[in-house]
Amino acid sequence: MSSKIHAAVDSAGLPLVFVLTPGQAADCPQFTTVLNKIRVTGPVGRPRTRPAAVAADKAYSSKANRAYLRRRGISAVIPEKSDQQANRKKKGSAGGRPITFDPKRYQQ
């Protein structure tokens, strides 16, 4: 028996929120769950719930997660899996455009 911790941290590495799941659970479906729990309080007003950008591991690279981020106006800094890239290229022009990915921003 094992468990996984799916966490969201700020740019300084301080934890904002985490979700605990069974170890055999996939990473990708927890993406929206983690992002929906983020609440950053400021000195006044309601808490911020939408970050400017999200950097994540390849495990969180999916069409659904990228669409979720686009709908919310959040910049995605997530590398594309090699199999997803190959499938997109195999479809030719019907496969869509390559994803935008900034390796410098991901490194930070």
Side-chain angles (χ1 to χ4, degrees):
M1 297 186 70
S2 63
S3 59
K4 283 186 187 176
I5 298 174
H6 307 272
V9 298
D10 64 6
S11 59
L14 299 173
L16 298 173
V17 66
F18 74 93
V19 174
L20 188 64
T21 61
Q24 68 273 17
D27 293 336
C28 200
Q30 302 308 317
F31 186 76
T32 55
T33 306
V34 171
L35 285 180
N36 286 334
K37 289 187 175 212
I38 293 177
R39 301 280 184 269
V40 180
T41 57
V44 294
R46 64 178 187 224
R48 286 193 65 210
T49 60
R50 190 180 62 172
V54 171
D57 190 59
K58 284 183 180 183
Y60 295 99
S61 175
S62 77
K63 200 172 186 178
N65 287 346
R66 290 180 191 283
Y68 172 78
L69 293 174
R70 266 193 308 277
R71 276 194 313 271
R72 294 195 62 201
I74 301 171
S75 175
V77 186
I78 306 171
E80 189 175 28
K81 290 181 181 179
S82 58
D83 65 327
Q84 290 174 345
Q85 192 174 31
N87 288 336
R88 182 178 42 76
K89 286 181 180 179
K90 184 173 60 177
K91 292 179 181 178
S93 62
R97 293 180 297 194
I99 63 156
T100 56
F101 176 67
D102 185 5
K104 298 275 188 203
R105 200 170 184 189
Y106 183 71
Q107 188 176 13
Q108 291 176 344

